[in-house]
Amino acid sequence: MRVSTRLGYSRAYDKLAPDRAVKILLVEDDSILCSRLRDDLGRRGYAVDVAGNGVDAEHLGSEWPYDAVILDLGLPQRSGLDVLRQWRARGNAVPVLILTARSAWQEKVEGFSAGADDYLAKPFHVEELCARLGALIRRTHAQPTGVVTAEGLTLDEARQSVVSGGVLIGLSGVEFRLLRYFMLHAGQVLSKGHLAEHVYDNDSNRDSNVIEVYVNHLRKKLGSGCITTRRGQGYVFGAPR
Ligand code: CA
């Protein structure tokens, strides 16, 4: 586990609890600014996890269903833009507010092209950050985003689960990302290597053979017919196109 700077995991984190606190990932390498923001957000009732570099940020954002992310763009190890692009490439639709350097309009443009939902230029007042964050979360909750439907299954991003025949089925982080990718590419032949690229973090389990294990988990949970093996090619979710 590479995650070194994180907070709040001493609490039991129940991804399915309906009355859980709004959970934010704060990504900022300036430790003084970061701890100030963490305290300010905490006082306003947010549960805050913290990452101080791009690698930890990408990992945490891929692993946990945050309600929103505050993402500084200038980060060690991996830039904020790269982190954001990775999330979006994997179908992670978490609302993201980027922090840009003052007057760097290119950063703002690049940030929006990479999939940012809002931005704030440094330096900023924490009141403005909280107002924008609140608006972003309300906007997201007001829209039926994050729900993917295919082949009679409905994926619930917020609860990291899937509904099949009216039954809610819980999924692990990797299972969820794998199923989401399958559902967004229903009917297409997807190789193990391709799936591994899109489903794993750049961490430990990059071995594409492990995909087979997760495909079998999904078959056990959803029925063996949901994913077909194409010998030497990969897998197809749902009816082939
Ligand atoms: Ca920075």
Side-chain angles (χ1 to χ4, degrees), residues 186-207:
Q188 297 175 25
V189 180
L190 302 168
S191 73
K192 283 185 202 172
H194 181 92
L195 289 167
E197 278 290 288
H198 287 84
V199 169
Y200 291 137
D201 309 313
N202 289 325
D203 256 51
S204 43
N205 290 338
R206 260 226 133 127
D207 183 358

Side-chain angles (χ1 to χ4, degrees), residues 1 15 46 64 88 97 158 168 171 193 212 223:
M1 178 67 81
K15 280 176 252 176
Y46 292 105
W64 300 93
R88 296 307 189 226
L97 186 154
L168 187 72
L171 300 169
E212 203 171 312

Side-chain angles (χ1 to χ4, degrees), residues 145-225:
T145 52
V147 177
V148 177
T149 306
E151 303 287 331
L153 300 178
T154 304
L155 208 55
D156 186 335
E157 188 100 34
R159 294 198 284 184
Q160 195 164 303
S161 54
V162 63
V163 178
S164 172
V167 178
L168 187 72
I169 300 166
L171 300 169
S172 74
V174 175
E175 288 165 8
F176 181 83
R177 290 198 295 276
L178 181 60
L179 181 59
R180 190 178 205 287
Y181 199 81
F182 270 130
M183 287 172 70
L184 290 170
H185 301 86
Q188 297 175 25
V189 180
L190 302 168
S191 73
K192 283 185 202 172
H194 181 92
L195 289 167
E197 278 290 288
H198 287 84
V199 169
Y200 291 137
D201 309 313
N202 289 325
D203 256 51
S204 43
N205 290 338
R206 260 226 133 127
D207 183 358
S208 64
N209 289 316
V210 183
I211 286 288
E212 203 171 312
V213 174
Y214 287 105
V215 165
N216 286 330
H217 288 183
L218 290 177
R219 282 173 171 154
K220 272 193 195 123
K221 290 185 174 184
L222 303 170
S224 56

